[in-house]
Amino acid sequence: MTVKLNQPTALRLEQLRAKGFADADILAHLRSGDLAPFQQALGEDVEFTALLDSYHANPEDFAQALANGYELSFISIFGVKNLLNARYGLVAGRDYPDSDESLEDIQLSLEGANWLKSTLSKNWRVLDLDKTAESGNACVAVKHATHINGGVL
């Protein structure tokens, strides 16, 4: 069973991972309620309410999401852009064309493309534009499911 996380929780989680927090450290800080290291890493004005709420709602499922991956329950196009930035440092308009409807020409590792496919909510599709197994890279597009297959989710 894949654990579902909401957009704000996933974004904070990926931001913390990008700042070097190991999953075990994230769990330890959430268990203890000591969020000072998170605030130092991401800034004093950053909210951690969604992350804490998700952890406290079901600590076992949250730990499973960290260890085995998660699927987003819902994410907007802006959330996808923020997720790509948090996880891979990719910026819309710099690393791929900026659009409010779909994302094209996103360069990822094959592992990154597979992660994105397994993580995005069911309302999004990750399409392989080019896979180069020899180099371990992929070029993908992210499109809303209603823009594919005649609008069927």
Side-chain angles (χ1 to χ4, degrees), residues 20-147:
F21 285 92
D23 292 343
D25 294 333
I26 293 170
L27 282 174
H29 286 294
L30 291 172
R31 251 186 233 114
S32 71
D34 177 17
L35 304 184
F38 295 171
Q39 296 288 176
Q40 290 171 347
L42 298 181
E44 294 297 322
D45 59 333
V46 175
E47 280 287 323
F48 292 96
T49 305
L51 188 68
L52 276 171
D53 289 348
S54 182
Y55 170 76
H56 287 301
N58 193 326
E60 294 80 24
D61 279 357
F62 193 87
Q64 181 183 337
L66 289 177
N68 301 322
Y70 57 89
E71 180 182 320
L72 286 151
S73 55
F74 173 83
I75 191 166
S76 67
I77 189 72
F78 303 107
V80 175
K81 291 177 189 181
N82 287 330
L83 191 65
L84 289 169
N85 180 263
R87 178 115 178 161
Y88 300 110
L90 299 176
V91 176
R94 182 191 75 192
D95 298 307
Y96 57 90
D98 193 1
S99 171
D100 290 342
E101 293 186 14
S102 65
L103 306 177
E104 304 279 339
D105 300 322
I106 304 166
Q107 301 293 321
L108 295 170
S109 66
L110 291 176
E111 180 182 314
N114 288 333
W115 179 85
L116 194 61
K117 287 177 187 177
S118 69
T119 302
L120 291 185
S121 58
K122 300 295 183 207
N123 59 316
W124 294 100
R125 302 291 185 266
V126 178
L127 307 171
D128 294 314
L129 301 177
D130 181 33
K131 263 187 179 176
T132 311
E134 302 82 43
S135 68
N137 294 319
C139 180
V140 300
V142 176
K143 294 187 180 268
H144 197 272
T146 58
H147 296 162

